[in-house]
Amino acid sequence: MNYRRTILITGGAGFIGSHVVRLFVNRYPDYHIINLDKLTYAGNLSNLKDIEDRPNYKFIKADICDYDAVKEVMNKYEVDGIIHLAAESHVDRSILDPFTFARTNVMGTLSLLQAARTVWEPQGWDGKLFYHISTDEVYGALELTDPEGIESPFTTKASSDHHHAYGDKFFTEETRYQPHSPYSASKAGSDHFVRAFHDTYGMPTIVTNCSNNYGPYQFPEKLIPLFINNIMHRKPLPVYGKGENVRDWLYVEDHARAIDLIFHEGKVAETYNIGGFNEWKNIDIVKVLIRTVDRLLSRGEDEDMDLITYVTDRKGHDMRYAIDSRKLQRELGWEPSLQFEEGIEKTVRWYLDHQDWLDNVTSGDYQKYYDQMYKNK
Ligand code: NAD
Ligand code: TYD
């Protein structure tokens, strides 16, 4: 089949990447979707079981740091668009092992950019796009100027029942980069390289910076899936510090929809912030999770509140993230589709209904999926 476009999605076996791959494979049968992923501990091909046999989908196991391998894929499949999600993504791991983060996030992004440039530059930049997925964490941390929360000046569907803001400042596209963790420093480095490739070589690029995502298929080392799993098994919930830190939460499918919209309608060389004006203190989220799991498992009300265990704070723990996503709303008409409590309910139900997925991930069995399904194909 002659495909209208060929899009290389990196990190498609991870949490957000799997939602993006699924959306594109389903929505664009006339696009060839190539998922390139190294399958680190965070990559789980069984996330894509439902679409793996589609004719317009192809999985390739490769490392983005392997310049020759990436170049070969780009040439062989005539890739004209890249959506780059592959990364090391967990802040706690970056504190323990910063080198791996610099290697994958900085050098890996550079290798991908250089491969794209080598293939695309002689063909001309027309019709090409390198879309880099980044995080709000590159902007550093905001202060908690209103610890009890004020009425937020902005709301979206995501925050319709809880319009708290814990300060009067928000990250805009103009906010100065001030990363604190090795993770955010490595993402900042990658963002700079992407913009440098636009400014120096004229490569058509877009960067988006999104707030914390939650939803199905998230690796249970991150707050929401880890705590859902622990509540189910009545294991302690390690809340860092006082649980006062604030994050701005977005349902992963709303992020995937934003990526689709921006890939197709975003302006080259622009940055867009993505978020739902949906700020929550960690401790309040933990309480919502306990109530939701207990209700869905028909346990007594607040029965599991004593699982909350305050532990030593994360080193350099950023206090507050809050994204101003009005540019994306104004210029491209994007809005989150899901109210937060609905999204949390949906998410908790998904993990309760997919205990096998969680067990596979926690036992390590998911790493055998590639060998079983792909190795001899
Ligand atoms: P994830 O850790 O769940 O998945 C990362 C994927 O990248 C995995 O499939 C892994 O195997 C793959 N990968 C890692 N190193 C690789 C390499 N060297 N070569 C090829 N593949 C490699 O991450 P996620 O939470 O889905 O995040 C995806 C992207 O979105 C990241 O760039 C992250 O910085 C960004 N982001 C995440 C969030 C969030 O809340 N999770 C928020 C904003 C932005
Ligand atoms: P996380 O899901 O790791 O995302 P990020 O650090 O990228 O925002 O953590 C979300 C918040 O939850 C963050 O403030 C750290 C906190 N947290 C805990 O309190 N306990 C935990 O076990 C984890 C994983 C996170």
Side-chain angles (χ1 to χ4, degrees):
M1 156 137 185
N2 259 345
Y3 289 105
R4 195 151 63 88
R5 295 199 72 170
T6 300
I7 301 171
L8 179 68
I9 299 182
T10 69
F15 166 48
I16 302 172
S18 64
H19 289 275
V20 176
V21 166
R22 177 175 296 101
L23 178 67
F24 273 71
V25 166
N26 283 328
R27 186 149 192 218
Y28 303 105
D30 54 347
Y31 286 8
H32 200 188
I33 305 301
I34 318 279
N35 172 12
L36 183 146
D37 197 298
K38 182 185 176 185
L39 299 182
T40 67
Y41 80 94
N44 183 348
L45 273 186
S46 76
N47 294 357
L48 290 165
K49 247 187 214 159
D50 54 326
I51 57 103
E52 69 186 8
D53 292 327
R54 294 294 176 76
N56 66 333
Y57 171 71
K58 168 97 192 147
F59 173 71
I60 293 168
K61 184 172 169 174
D63 186 337
I64 52 165
C65 298
D66 186 343
Y67 166 78
D68 290 327
V70 174
K71 214 173 76 179
E72 196 186 311
V73 169
M74 292 204 50
N75 273 322
K76 180 169 175 195
Y77 294 98
E78 299 178 19
V79 169
D80 54 28
I82 297 179
I83 305 179
H84 174 37
L85 296 111
E88 289 292 336
S89 69
H90 190 43
V91 174
D92 293 324
R93 285 181 190 256
S94 81
I95 295 169
L96 296 172
D97 177 18
F99 276 117
T100 303
F101 282 68
R103 179 187 179 275
T104 294
N105 298 358
V106 183
M107 290 306 291
T109 301
L110 179 55
S111 131
L112 196 62
L113 282 162
Q114 184 70 352
R117 179 186 157 221
T118 311
V119 175
W120 285 347
E121 209 170 26
Q123 303 169 357
W125 297 119
D126 228 27
K128 312 291 196 299
L129 179 64
F130 189 108
Y131 176 6
H132 177 61
I133 307 299
S134 193
T135 166
D136 59 356
E137 304 191 23
V138 296
Y139 297 123
L142 295 165
E143 274 179 51
L144 207 70
T145 46
D146 288 289
E148 294 316 310
I150 49 164
E151 183 95 348
S152 173
F154 315 109
T155 56
T156 63
K157 186 157 186 200
S159 57
S160 52
D161 279 357
H162 167 95
H163 16 82
H164 288 69
Y166 292 97
D168 51 5
K169 295 209 166 51
F170 297 83
F171 297 135
T172 72
E173 289 79 2
E174 275 72 50
T175 301
R176 183 163 76 92
Y177 272 35
Q178 207 174 356
H180 298 298
S181 73
Y183 164 64
S184 52
S186 67
K187 290 297 290 187
S190 66
D191 296 8
H192 290 319
F193 268 112
V194 174
R195 295 193 178 103
F197 267 61
H198 171 267
D199 296 349
T200 307
Y201 307 110
M203 179 183 284
T205 60
I206 291 180
V207 177
T208 56
N209 299 80
C210 188
S211 62
N212 285 61
N213 285 213
Y214 70 98
Y217 301 112
Q218 187 167 29
F219 197 84
E221 62 182 353
K222 304 273 167 66
L223 180 79
I224 289 183
L226 173 72
F227 279 30
I228 294 173
N229 196 31
N230 285 10
I231 300 163
M232 282 159 67
H233 294 97
R234 293 211 153 107
K235 291 209 280 205
L237 307 175
V239 174
Y240 298 160
K242 295 187 188 140
E244 297 273 287
N245 302 65
V246 170
R247 298 290 182 266
D248 179 352
W249 293 92
L250 185 68
Y251 191 66
V252 61
E253 288 179 5
D254 280 331
H255 188 190
R257 278 195 311 107
I259 290 172
D260 178 9
L261 181 67
I262 293 162
F263 181 80
H264 288 98
E265 290 176 33
K267 260 173 64 186
V268 163
E270 291 285 317
T271 297
Y272 299 91
N273 281 354
I274 311 174
F277 291 112
N278 180 43
E279 293 177 50
W280 284 76
K281 280 188 185 174
N282 291 341
I283 191 62
D284 293 334
I285 298 235
V286 174
K287 290 178 183 161
V288 170
L289 291 175
I290 294 174
R291 294 203 175 105
T292 312
V293 174
D294 282 354
R295 178 166 49 77
L296 293 177
L297 290 179
S298 308
R299 295 179 182 169
E301 209 183 319
D302 290 349
E303 202 174 307
D304 288 317
M305 285 295 167
D306 59 357
L307 294 176
I308 294 175
T309 310
Y310 292 95
V311 299
T312 311
D313 208 352
R314 173 186 277 172
K315 286 188 173 69
H317 197 172
D318 285 340
M319 199 60 204
R320 169 174 175 252
Y321 302 143
I323 271 277
D324 181 341
S325 60
R326 283 176 301 163
K327 174 177 172 183
L328 178 59
Q329 293 175 17
R330 192 177 57 241
E331 294 187 7
L332 300 184
W334 174 85
E335 264 271 334
S337 68
L338 213 62
Q339 193 261 336
F340 183 67
E341 278 89 344
E342 276 168 19
I344 283 290
E345 168 114 10
K346 216 169 145 165
T347 302
V348 171
R349 275 187 198 281
W350 189 88
Y351 287 99
L352 293 180
D353 291 346
H354 293 80
Q355 184 64 56
D356 55 334
W357 184 90
L358 275 171
D359 290 345
N360 257 323
V361 172
T362 43
S363 71
D365 278 353
Y366 70 107
Q367 286 171 319
K368 298 179 191 146
Y369 193 83
Y370 173 76
D371 288 348
Q372 287 159 4
M373 304 299 292
Y374 280 86
K375 220 166 182 178
N376 300 317
K377 265 193 185 175

